[in-house]
Amino acid sequence: MVTIAFIGVGNMGGGMAANLVKAGHVVRAFDLAPAALDRARGNGCHIVGSAAEAADGADAIVTMLPAGAHVRAAYEGELFAAASPNAVLIDCSTIDVATAKSIGEAAHKLARAMVDAPVSGGTAAADAGTLTFMVGGPDAAFAAARPILEQMGRAVIHAGGAGMGQAAKICNNMILGSTMIATAEAFVLAEKLGLDAQTFFDISSKASGQSWSMTSYCPVPGPVPASPANRDYQGGFAAGLMLKDLKLAAQAAQGAGASVPMGAEAAALYQLFVNNGGGAVDFSGIVKLLRGA
Ligand code: NAD
């Protein structure tokens, strides 16, 4: 049992903090939103009045915040100063690679063990403790973070140095956004050509058009009963969050001089979908846009 400071107990962090409590740890939670704190209290967390109070004397600090600016403000504003020298600092938020690298390097200069550890998996995986963590940071920091991450997920993978967890996350989600659009447009074309969706799935899922977007998350109802298409695209991974990740990928590509035309097109289409009111809908709902809805 260790003491863990958890900053940001929202949709994702709430479930993750609850799993750390279930694993027997003392979890001190801080958030700006009273509703998030109420849920954390109900799940057995100790509620504190500031990030610094949460961090004081804790063995580990986990942050799960909206974006890079929040993460920078949290660490540079309070957490670096409040953290014990031996604490491991774990940022699980999805943020831009440049900010993750710079915060990781700042931690290194202060002789603090820190990793960026963004997740794959949505709120259901956060609640169930089945997230995948992509981790960037020095070997010793990874070794310190790993046992804690394992209690919130089922896969913990070391991707490289500071910022490489974020790099892995946005590269993965750039593939996901692009393959989802490609899969959705193929189902729309099949439909217009008179090819039955299940028949097309039975063929393509065993042929070279196969991808996770088709076989695990099929964007039309029927072939994959668990996919959000079967519940009118409610729940799942919101299109607004997919757009966020595609924008982070575009930003990283610009900084690195990488050519990502498919990722850029995916970002443009998700922007259109979000502008049309699809931000809260599961990202596979983009099939509706491609149908002309
Ligand atoms: P959320 O908005 O539900 O939670 C973020 C929480 O941070 C909020 O409760 C907010 O009040 C709190 N917060 C903001 N600034 C704070 C501060 N300075 N101090 C303390 N608390 C602060 O968002 P979420 O869905 O939980 O997402 C969190 C992160 O996880 C994001 O970076 C997101 O991109 C990533 N993510 C989300 C999902 C998902 O399906 N929701 C999936 C993968 C990754």
Side-chain angles (χ1 to χ4, degrees):
M1 182 197 86
V2 298
T3 298
I4 300 171
F6 208 114
I7 317 300
V9 283
N11 291 326
M12 293 293 290
M16 293 163 69
N19 284 322
L20 292 175
V21 173
K22 278 186 209 151
H25 301 300
V26 172
V27 179
R28 292 189 203 139
F30 176 67
D31 197 292
L32 300 178
L37 289 176
D38 286 346
R39 180 183 168 211
R41 187 182 287 110
N43 285 331
C45 297
H46 300 264
I47 307 307
V48 294
S50 70
E53 194 184 332
D56 184 30
D59 302 291
I61 298 172
V62 181
T63 45
M64 192 53 162
L65 297 167
H70 305 87
V71 174
R72 186 182 287 287
Y75 282 95
E76 293 182 353
E78 287 181 88
L79 295 174
F80 280 149
S84 306
N86 295 329
V88 59
L89 316 182
I90 306 172
D91 178 40
C92 294
S93 326
T94 300
I95 69 169
D96 60 287
V97 176
T99 299
K101 265 189 176 174
S102 116
I103 297 174
E105 282 160 11
H108 193 62
K109 281 192 191 128
L110 295 166
R112 300 299 162 111
M114 179 163 192
V115 294
D116 51 288
V119 306
S120 176
T123 52
D127 291 346
T130 56
L131 294 165
T132 293
F133 290 92
M134 297 157 253
V135 189
D139 289 346
F142 175 71
R146 183 179 205 151
I148 291 165
L149 296 173
E150 280 174 346
Q151 285 164 337
M152 300 186 285
R154 65 175 164 208
V156 180
I157 302 155
H158 195 189
M164 291 306 106
Q166 300 294 348
K169 160 97 187 178
I170 56 163
C171 289
N172 180 73
N173 278 16
M174 193 173 74
I175 296 175
L176 179 61
S178 303
T179 58
M180 181 52 74
I181 293 168
T183 304
E185 68 184 26
F187 272 97
V188 172
L189 174 59
E191 195 175 288
K192 287 193 184 298
L193 295 173
L195 174 57
D196 174 64
Q198 182 67 52
T199 307
F200 173 53
F201 176 87
D202 291 344
I203 295 165
S204 198
S205 62
K206 292 178 187 63
S208 47
Q210 185 273 339
S211 74
W212 187 91
S213 292
M214 174 172 286
T215 52
S216 294
Y217 220 82
C218 189
V220 298
V224 177
S227 80
N230 298 282
R231 40 180 203 273
D232 198 23
Y233 308 97
Q234 298 308 302
F237 181 46
L241 286 172
M242 172 53 83
L243 177 60
K244 172 190 170 180
D245 293 354
L246 290 168
K247 285 181 173 173
L248 290 175
Q251 186 185 344
Q254 202 171 18
S259 175
V260 292
M262 299 294 287
E265 188 60 30
L269 285 165
Y270 274 104
Q271 184 72 68
L272 186 60
F273 186 54
V274 168
N275 290 352
N276 284 350
V281 168
D282 179 74
F283 80 112
S284 63
I286 199 157
V287 69
K288 291 185 173 186
L289 180 79
L290 298 166
R291 282 206 179 95

